Amino acid sequence: MSSSRPYIIRALYEWIVDNNCTPYILVNAEVETVEVPQEYVKDGQIVLNISPTAVRDLLIGNDAIDFNGRFGGIARHLHVPTYAVMAIYARENGQGMVFDSEEAPEPTPDPAPTSPEPTAKPGKPSGRPSLKVVK
């Protein structure tokens, strides 16, 4: 089965926002494919405010969280694989969830190339269609 983490992140994000709180995520910034401003990383981690008023174009997908945010007045695109999210919680009261560490998923191999479909299907004539007058 696929990881439940992205589904839980989406659900908790909605719950936090619906309760007029500010959703924060704690990210393992040492994961290879994490794209965050490194100057704000402390002890290999970064806390990001992902509230609707703080970010633009937020997409919490099954593989990653992508959004645009401003840091020191500079617009940046951030990319956080879901397995790099260590926690999601409300800033105001700490309600949320801490996740166990999760390894990067194994890349799925490309399927073997299939042979192209035959142009003529068995039992059907190939070539230009023609009409025949029947009397």
Side-chain angles (χ1 to χ4, degrees):
M1 288 183 71
S2 62
S3 173
S4 61
R5 187 176 300 210
Y7 301 92
I8 295 169
I9 292 169
R10 282 191 291 270
L12 287 171
Y13 172 84
E14 278 190 40
W15 176 68
I16 291 167
V17 171
D18 286 352
N19 283 282
N20 297 315
C21 292
T22 310
Y24 276 18
I25 56 173
L26 175 63
V27 177
N28 178 354
E30 294 177 342
V31 170
E32 188 176 325
T33 57
V34 167
E35 295 174 23
V36 295
Q38 291 299 310
E39 60 270 26
Y40 296 95
V41 172
K42 291 185 182 165
D43 299 322
Q45 301 174 350
I46 187 169
V47 175
L48 300 170
N49 175 350
I50 59 169
S51 71
T53 57
V55 301
R56 299 263 187 257
D57 305 320
L58 177 66
L59 175 62
I60 304 174
N62 288 345
D63 297 323
I65 300 172
D66 286 288
F67 60 94
N68 296 311
R70 292 180 101 44
F71 292 84
I74 299 170
R76 304 230 182 141
H77 176 77
L78 285 80
H79 175 83
V80 178
T82 53
Y83 65 88
V85 176
M86 301 167 67
I88 180 168
Y89 60 95
R91 179 192 65 179
E92 291 78 4
N93 58 20
Q95 292 286 312
M97 181 177 279
V98 176
F99 298 103
D100 291 333
S101 60
E102 189 174 291
E103 295 295 319
E106 291 293 321
T108 55
D110 290 335
T114 59
S115 60
E117 296 245 345
T119 53
K121 300 209 182 224
K124 292 193 176 186
S126 61
R128 185 178 167 143
S130 61
L131 296 175
K132 207 187 279 189
V133 177
V134 178
K135 292 189 184 189

